[in-house]
Amino acid sequence: MTRVPELRGDRLRLRELHVTDHPVFERIVTHRVLTRYLGIDRMDGRQAHDAFAQALAQPHARPRRKYTLAVCSPDDDTMVGTMGLLVEDYGSNAMLTGLVLLPGAPVRGHGHEAGRLLMAYAFGVLGLHRIWAGHRADHHHMRPVMEAAGLRPEATLRQLFRTQSSWHDVTTYATVASDWKRQATPAELSVLDSAPALLPSR
């Protein structure tokens, strides 16, 4: 089993999903507004249940390619959002996915920190070289989030995915380990520098 240790930043932390996170997870993936800009359509209750079961099983996959983590406040274990990573089957690359924060969550405005913590884990423990992310081209609030995470614009991919009965262009961003590490915060460097100690059991 490959489990991610708790990743703690200045304003939020990431952890593996718990069984008790199901109601929050379901609220996110069945919510009309929260799923508006995601690369998946809004789910019904049964689809949400199945998706949650698949996310809970991720640590048991060998090799593990998918990471769906809970976003929590520094001193509260209640899940208030999600952050994900998809390790690609070729090269040494991964894609950040699924950043969603609940309305009114105390960590709102700091979503980029969730991405940064997961990148620190990916560049450190997982030893990846390149990480990229994207957002629908019409989701104009995401550019500053991407840049605050240490990602830089790369391209616009035309009609990359179809949701809500429409095809959507996606603006992509990326960084490589050597560039990103130069601007990592102390909390992120602690994840990077302690990589051997954080290696999860297999």
Side-chain angles (χ1 to χ4, degrees), residues 140-161:
H140 305 297
H141 297 298
M142 282 302 295
R143 178 169 181 142
V145 176
M146 295 288 187
E147 292 181 342
L151 299 159
R152 295 295 171 258
E154 282 203 328
T156 296
L157 307 181
R158 295 192 60 207
Q159 299 186 14
L160 183 64
F161 65 82

Side-chain angles (χ1 to χ4, degrees), residues 102-178:
L102 293 176
V107 301
R108 284 192 70 84
H110 305 294
H112 64 281
E113 187 172 299
R116 294 183 66 91
L117 286 171
L118 198 44
M119 281 193 284
Y121 180 81
F123 286 138
V125 175
L126 300 183
L128 297 179
H129 172 67
R130 182 180 186 274
I131 294 176
W132 70 283
H135 63 77
R136 272 178 41 177
D138 60 341
H139 194 1
H140 305 297
H141 297 298
M142 282 302 295
R143 178 169 181 142
V145 176
M146 295 288 187
E147 292 181 342
L151 299 159
R152 295 295 171 258
E154 282 203 328
T156 296
L157 307 181
R158 295 192 60 207
Q159 299 186 14
L160 183 64
F161 65 82
R162 180 180 173 86
T163 60
Q164 301 143 26
S165 301
S166 298
W167 286 100
H168 306 288
D169 294 349
V170 172
T171 302
T172 65
Y173 302 73
T175 189
V176 295
S178 57

Side-chain angles (χ1 to χ4, degrees), residues 175-184:
T175 189
V176 295
S178 57
D179 291 343
W180 191 84
K181 290 176 182 179
R182 284 195 291 268
Q183 45 81 64

